[in-house]
Amino acid sequence: TREFMVMAAWHLLEKDELRQRFLDGDDADKTAILREILRLEPMAGMIYRRTTAEVTGVTPEPIPADTRLSLSIRAANVDEAHVGACPFALDPDRAKRFKVNDSYLSFGAGEHLCPGRNVALSEARVAIYHLSVKLVTRGAGRSATAAVAYRAATCVPDERTATPEQAREEIE
């Protein structure tokens, strides 16, 4: 998860338009952006598996049972036959166009599907959000209400002044 957050931050902090779309988007849009980054930057570039039976139709010759295989997640995730045109472009709408969800191999597949994939995506969403907003703290001269609103990511009315403090103040 740590490496994924670093890669996601790198892409989002480098690309202003993508970062703004991430900040303005709903949870589904944020997740689509993160999944697309993960498709291009898988944390495990290679996985190793052993065949349990003879495999045919993948290579010109059958692959015998009990053969150890090296599978390139990176190559599979940019295979134009599976992900469409411009496979190296970061396109958050790609999964919607192909009506796929988690079909890329970054989180594994089948019995090897990562059980923590949703936790990793949620942690990354929160981390990137907090990297992309101004800190609202009492130490920065803001009210305690503003600091609470920021941490809760919601609007909290200030009972002293009867005006709501906005939780999210993006970096300009």
Side-chain angles (χ1 to χ4, degrees), residues 2-155:
R2 177 183 60 232
E3 290 86 2
F4 170 47
M5 284 190 230
V6 169
M7 291 310 297
W10 176 57
H11 279 279
L12 291 167
L13 295 174
E14 187 177 76
K15 299 173 179 89
D16 294 336
E17 186 177 309
L18 186 66
R19 181 177 61 247
Q20 197 58 51
R21 179 175 171 176
F22 181 86
L23 291 171
D24 294 341
D26 60 10
D27 280 346
D29 204 30
K30 286 177 172 74
T31 300
I33 291 168
L34 293 174
R35 283 185 175 162
E36 182 68 357
I37 291 170
L38 191 57
R39 180 186 69 81
L40 290 171
E41 309 283 355
M43 296 305 101
M46 298 288 288
I47 59 172
Y48 304 94
R49 297 288 183 259
R50 190 169 295 281
T51 59
T52 56
E54 181 177 89
V55 178
T56 59
V58 177
T59 60
E61 298 294 320
I63 301 171
D66 203 39
T67 301
R68 186 175 173 179
L69 302 174
S70 300
L71 306 171
S72 173
I73 301 298
R74 190 175 303 281
N77 284 352
V78 294
D79 182 350
E80 197 168 342
H82 296 286
V83 300
C86 304
F88 294 100
L90 199 157
D91 178 5
D93 298 318
R94 183 182 308 274
K96 277 191 250 177
R97 280 197 311 278
F98 287 96
K99 295 180 174 66
V100 294
N101 189 16
D102 280 343
S103 69
Y104 310 127
L105 294 177
S106 296
F107 282 119
E111 67 184 34
H112 299 287
L113 185 63
C114 174
R117 68 188 181 282
N118 291 327
V119 173
L121 289 167
S122 294
E123 286 177 338
R125 268 198 325 263
V126 170
I128 299 301
Y129 172 79
H130 285 284
L131 281 174
S132 302
V133 297
K134 289 181 184 175
L135 290 179
V136 178
T137 65
R138 292 186 68 197
R142 299 301 303 265
S143 71
T145 302
V148 168
Y150 167 74
R151 286 180 183 80
T154 189
C155 191

